[in-house]
Amino acid sequence: MTEPTDLQRTLAEHDQEHLLRFYETLSPERRKALLEQLRGIDFDELDTLIEQYVRRKPHVEVPSGIRPPEMVPARPSDEQTQALHDAARRRGEQLIADGKVAAFVVAGGQGTRLGYEGPKGCLEVTPVAHKPLFQVFAEQILAARRRWDTAIPWYVMTSPINDVPTRAFFRQHKYFGLPADDVFFLVQGTMPAIGYDGKLLLAAPGRVAMSPDGHGGALPALSDSGALADMAARGVEQISYFQVDNPLCRAVDPLFIGLHAERDAEMSAKALPKRDPMEKLGNFCVVDGKVTVIEYCDLPEDLVRQTTDDGHLLFNAGSIAIHMLSRAFVERLTAGGGCELPWHRADKIVTHVDADGNAVTPDEPNAVKLERFIFDALPLAERTVILETLRTEEFSPVKNAEGADSLNTALHDQVRRAAEWLEEAGVTVPRDADGKVAAAIEISPLFADSGEQLAEQVDKHLTIAPGDKVYLGSRGQIGGEK
Ligand code: UTP
């Protein structure tokens, strides 16, 4: 090989020469692509990370004196909290109406647990109309735009593994009724997969195995892509952050937006009371006066199980990755380029080519992936609001192919929530002997995107028979499929 001598030297210095092992066998295009990929990797930084996260397993020290955070209750039980909610909701509605709010979905993940071919946002997830996840959120945004007669730009973060099909999906579906100019795609960064011997892996003879750098990559991506500048030009001040896999999530929630703004918070979060002490959700804690999420696996079991005098879990607030971020906060964090969030190590099975060029998929984890998490920005915020949420209203993620947090549970939870909204509005919903809803019911966000809104809209004489498939759509049409 004559050409890549500089690069060869760099790779040799960092003990990564094997990455050019198949160079001579590659076509000119593949060679070019490989060189480009290698030049995009910061090998100095990587050496440090390999030392810190691969050769050693980072041990998370739980600081002493941690305590649970204060939370705004989901449902007010006294006048003061009711007044707080009312004022916040009004403020949130005003901010939305004034065009100061953007929606931001992170959809760059690999979705390995689900094993779905294609971007997870394309997964058909609703019980009657079979709408994909992206459409669920698009309709919420469309509904809010109509309700407050305003523009709500939507920023969609992808990664190199799913950017092209995601954009194509939106084009194919005509942006689900949103103006194309108000949908902004941004691509997050990637990190190489690192073998346990500290060597990067080749996914193919001419390609380094890379994966998205975690949802924390959203912060630099917002800055690098020009999304922050676009927000500034549009007058957006607040960013409503959510993940693509939770169809119950409210993409634009006036109460949450308003609470965050009323307290002049930089970053806020929604929290759920944990189902059980060992539930795999990060725990909101206060450390040195700052709200911090400590992962379920890093909190010692005695703390996880500790209860208060009245028998409740002391650390009961689970993180569900729904946040408000002020634009100024993201600008501050990314001002010097990049964003100093810590890395997290995940041990993964990474398919790669061996020294003979054969593809190998080990049975056991063979490599470390490094990811940044968005919640690590919380302790960097000057002020934070934690709003308690009801699981039945706002959380049912599609993570796994089956069992808990799967498509099945999300379908079930959507129907259950729709039935509860209808019953609260005075509509009779058929239930079986076990109390399970005996019909498939779907309420489009264009019909109503909260129980209160449904109560204003729905005909109380609506009849639903066991086995019916009921869809309440934008013009209130009722019946079978979309
Ligand atoms: P998860 O942590 O559940 O990861 O992402 P995942 O990639 O979807 O699924 P697994 O772990 O491989 O099974 C939570 C949310 O964060 C986004 C995902 O798209 C999802 O909305 N995410 C995750 C990113 O946008 N980028 C990432 O690098 C990782």
Side-chain angles (χ1 to χ4, degrees), residues 106-114 120 157 188 212-215 241 243-245 348 371 399:
V106 293
Q110 292 175 295
T112 37
R113 283 169 289 172
L114 183 64
K120 212 193 246 187
M157 186 173 86
Q188 71 175 107
D213 60 0
H215 38 68
Y241 167 104
Q243 304 194 328
V244 78
D245 52 18
K348 300 272 179 176
E371 291 193 327
K399 297 281 186 196

Side-chain angles (χ1 to χ4, degrees), residues 121-145:
C122 307
L123 177 76
E124 292 183 357
V125 78
T126 67
V128 179
H130 311 295
K131 292 174 194 167
L133 278 157
F134 282 131
Q135 187 173 356
V136 171
F137 303 121
E139 290 192 358
Q140 289 188 28
I141 295 167
L142 197 53
R145 290 174 68 105

